[in-house]
Amino acid sequence: MKVGTDAVLLGAWARGGKRILDIGTGTGVVALMMAQRFPMAQVHAIDIEQDACCQAEENVSASPFSKRVLVRCMSVQQYAEGGDGNGCYDAIVSNPPFFENALKAPGEARMRARHNDSLPYDQLFQAVDKLMAPEGEFTAIIPFDYKQRLEEEAARAGMVVTRLCAVRTTPRKPIKRYLLAFRRMPSQICQEEEGLLEIAPGVRSEWYRLLTADFYL
């Protein structure tokens, strides 16, 4: 699982803080983007795949942010049960596995990255609830048809969506992805926006260009 548009969107849109956790870091791109955007932050990145963690560690070591990004190979369930980071993260980000009861992708590592067998949404929010600071924010990117499912599990954990961005690939295409930011039962109204990736095939929109200006060469 290499760098994809979902990871770039998440890393550019999510809010940060002094302590940031990236769940399911993969190659480490989101963790590195957060470290770049928030120069005072300590970023922890976890993944259950040993090969992914090795690649993330290589990428972190080759970056200017190596002293502020720590990669650990473990599940978020294990990490939350360990108690080391409980209640201390100002920001948690995740590009979570999303397929439920669907045909598995070939290859065990790719399958785990795409299917939520190893990280059901209820367990994801239980872990986030333990790890996130009282005023923290959890941000995720998901396919459009999983929005309600994620919101339902968030509500069970006492969280609601406070920021939302519906993403289209082109003007005439339906919404493809949602960026969702969750907090613990705030009183504020959810801030909603819509993002567009391309105005034509291969031509980035102004919204996407400005959002990702610090990352694309």
Side-chain angles (χ1 to χ4, degrees), residues 15-21 41-42 87-92 131-138 182-183:
R15 288 176 178 166
K18 291 183 178 180
R19 290 178 64 86
I20 299 171
L21 176 65
Q42 293 293 321
C88 74
Y89 290 104
D90 307 305
I92 300 178
L131 294 163
M132 192 168 69
E135 301 300 320
E137 184 169 280
F138 169 52
F182 297 90
R183 288 182 179 265

Side-chain angles (χ1 to χ4, degrees), residues 98-129:
F98 45 81
F99 287 142
E100 295 179 300
N101 304 318
L103 183 66
K104 297 291 191 292
E108 186 177 353
R110 184 173 176 82
M111 180 190 74
R112 277 203 288 263
R114 293 169 64 87
H115 294 260
N116 73 352
D117 297 10
S118 59
L119 185 56
Y121 293 146
D122 60 339
Q123 294 182 27
L124 171 63
F125 276 97
Q126 288 167 18
V128 167
D129 187 41

Side-chain angles (χ1 to χ4, degrees), residues 49-128:
E49 286 296 329
Q50 184 63 52
D51 288 346
C53 289
C54 289
Q55 189 169 64
E57 287 175 341
E58 289 178 6
N59 291 335
V60 168
S61 297
S63 77
F65 318 112
S66 57
K67 293 182 179 179
R68 296 192 292 110
V69 181
L70 175 66
V71 179
R72 301 182 69 178
C73 189
M74 62 172 57
S75 70
V76 70
Q77 297 97 320
Q78 291 173 316
Y79 191 52
E81 286 301 320
D84 292 344
N86 285 4
C88 74
Y89 290 104
D90 307 305
I92 300 178
V93 295
S94 184
N95 181 5
F98 45 81
F99 287 142
E100 295 179 300
N101 304 318
L103 183 66
K104 297 291 191 292
E108 186 177 353
R110 184 173 176 82
M111 180 190 74
R112 277 203 288 263
R114 293 169 64 87
H115 294 260
N116 73 352
D117 297 10
S118 59
L119 185 56
Y121 293 146
D122 60 339
Q123 294 182 27
L124 171 63
F125 276 97
Q126 288 167 18
V128 167

Side-chain angles (χ1 to χ4, degrees), residues 138-174:
F138 169 52
T139 307
I141 184 167
I142 55 167
F144 75 97
D145 50 347
Y146 283 79
K147 175 177 175 288
Q148 182 177 349
R149 179 78 176 86
L150 207 67
E151 288 177 328
E152 289 172 351
E153 290 300 340
R156 292 187 180 96
M159 301 180 201
V160 295
V161 177
T162 57
R163 295 191 302 128
L164 174 155
C165 181
V167 181
R168 300 177 190 271
T169 52
T170 60
R172 295 187 179 183
K173 292 288 181 66

Side-chain angles (χ1 to χ4, degrees), residues 18-41:
K18 291 183 178 180
R19 290 178 64 86
I20 299 171
L21 176 65
D22 178 19
I23 300 172
T25 195
T27 60
V29 62
V30 176
L32 289 169
M33 290 175 73
M34 297 299 281
Q36 178 177 327
R37 291 178 59 210
F38 303 99
M40 302 303 293

Side-chain angles (χ1 to χ4, degrees), residues 180-198:
L180 301 172
F182 297 90
R183 288 182 179 265
R184 291 186 177 91
M185 294 302 182
S187 57
Q188 70 220 54
I189 298 173
C190 178
Q191 302 173 23
E192 298 187 17
E193 65 174 316
E194 186 169 302
L196 180 68
L197 299 185
E198 297 180 339

